[in-house]
Amino acid sequence: MLKIRNLVANYGHIEALHGISLDVGNKEMVALIGSNGAGKTTLLNSISGHVTKTGEILYNGVDISKMRPGRIVKNGIIQVPEGRHVFPGLTVMQNLVVGTIAWRGLRKADIEEDLERVVTLFPRLKERYKQLAWSLSGGEQQMLAMGRALMGRPKLLMLDEPSMGLAPKVVEEMFEAIVAINNSGTPILLVEQNAQLALEVSAKAYIIEGGKIKLSGPSKELANDERVKEAYLGKTR
Ligand SMILES: Nc1ncnc2c1ncn2[C@@H]1O[C@H](COP(=O)(O)OP(=O)(O)OP(=O)(O)O)[C@@H](O)[C@H]1O
Ligand SMILES: [Mg+2]
């Protein structure tokens, strides 16, 4: 459903991605692994329309590389940004409803149904419905950012480091939810520095270094690849 060819992304005169090609299939979970500064966020931001670039980004056959971010969201490509960025002064419920903004004209009953689905996936959000987002723990904020994205009814969900800064138990909870979202049919492009975890849950993975794809293939194969083991699986942060 997503087919990227020869993507070159620039920040002013600096080229950050040097000709990336990548595919996400229907219902597939694809992992993008790489160290700090490799270009992972830049790739997601290029897809969502926030970075200047050349090359092709075909989404169900349509080139979206020149589309504006708002239209890309309306087409169902929804990103959960690195560092969450929930609205601190809004309650949990208000943050979630903001996620429906691309769906003007949605009936109240539809919104309530979507809310119910999100809090079933993240019961902790239901317990904190009226709490202001700034006062949530890091894990709860990540759940909220993810819930907000789900309220937008993603056809492709892009997650930027959902495990960042979270305790192992919360990471586990988070990844159970990510797998459940994928199992319900939503394709996911997952950016993760925790390579082991990313390779466990994904079908296919790409390893990015210095703005280029260094390796790619079925996640099971990459998990057993000596180069991957040495560079990415020795330790996770
Ligand atoms: N707004 C920007 N202006 C200029 N250069 C940028 C900008 N954002 C990122 N870069 C540069 O682009 C390169 C890729 O950055 P990017 O944020 O995509 O890396 P990343 O793989 O997401 O890293 P991390 O794991 O630390 O989040 C880096 O060299 C970074 O310094
Ligand atoms: Mg990043």
Side-chain angles (χ1 to χ4, degrees):
M1 64 158 353
L2 185 75
K3 185 169 167 179
I4 299 178
R5 291 296 174 269
N6 201 25
L7 177 70
V8 174
N10 296 288
Y11 294 111
H13 295 300
I14 302 166
E15 192 177 291
L17 299 179
H18 317 292
I20 299 265
S21 295
L22 173 147
D23 295 273
V24 180
N26 262 330
K27 303 188 180 182
E28 203 171 36
M29 168 118 68
V30 175
L32 182 63
I33 296 163
S35 46
N36 291 119
K40 306 180 296 296
T41 298
T42 302
L43 179 55
L44 295 195
N45 286 344
S46 301
I47 298 168
S48 58
H50 294 94
V51 175
T52 323
K53 73 260 173 194
T54 60
E56 261 185 348
I57 305 179
L58 297 174
Y59 173 61
N60 294 324
V62 178
D63 190 358
I64 59 162
S65 65
K66 306 275 182 306
M67 248 183 220
R68 283 202 272 181
R71 270 197 68 204
I72 294 173
V73 168
K74 280 191 184 152
N75 276 290
I77 301 184
I78 301 191
Q79 180 176 3
V80 179
E82 189 174 1
R84 295 134 203 172
H85 299 284
V86 294
F87 297 105
L90 299 184
T91 64
V92 165
M93 209 252 273
Q94 288 165 338
N95 265 278
L96 291 173
V97 172
V98 165
T100 63
I101 221 127
W103 300 98
R104 261 177 239 117
L106 211 58
R107 291 179 313 143
K108 195 163 171 254
D110 291 330
I111 296 178
E112 274 164 8
E113 207 181 295
D114 288 353
L115 277 172
E116 197 49 46
R117 204 169 316 126
V118 166
V119 298
T120 304
L121 194 62
F122 299 112
R124 285 216 230 175
L125 293 182
K126 191 165 198 173
E127 294 160 22
R128 291 166 177 79
Y129 236 32
K130 295 197 170 131
Q131 198 170 321
L132 294 177
W134 66 263
S135 65
L136 298 174
S137 73
E140 289 158 2
Q141 287 190 18
Q142 184 66 51
M143 291 172 197
L144 181 54
M146 214 119 91
R148 184 180 58 190
L150 292 175
M151 291 297 290
R153 302 184 175 182
K155 295 194 184 111
L156 170 67
L157 185 61
M158 304 198 292
L159 305 175
D160 199 346
E161 308 220 21
S163 78
M164 185 154 61
L166 305 184
K169 204 165 163 289
V170 183
V171 172
E172 208 176 290
E173 216 176 301
M174 191 68 61
F175 271 73
E176 274 169 23
I178 293 171
V179 168
I181 295 165
N182 180 241
N183 283 343
S184 72
T186 307
I188 296 179
L189 180 55
L190 168 71
V191 163
E192 249 309 326
Q193 282 212 24
N194 187 331
Q196 187 161 351
L197 199 50
L199 290 175
E200 269 170 34
V201 298
S202 59
K204 191 170 82 185
Y206 291 82
I207 296 193
I208 179 170
E209 275 314 321
K212 284 186 187 147
I213 300 295
K214 204 172 141 200
L215 279 172
S216 65
S219 302
K220 279 205 183 86
E221 282 175 25
L222 289 183
N224 290 312
D225 187 300
E226 286 308 322
R227 293 166 292 181
V228 177
K229 278 187 187 169
E230 194 177 320
Y232 301 96
L233 299 176
K235 51 182 183 289
T236 49
R237 44 172 196 182

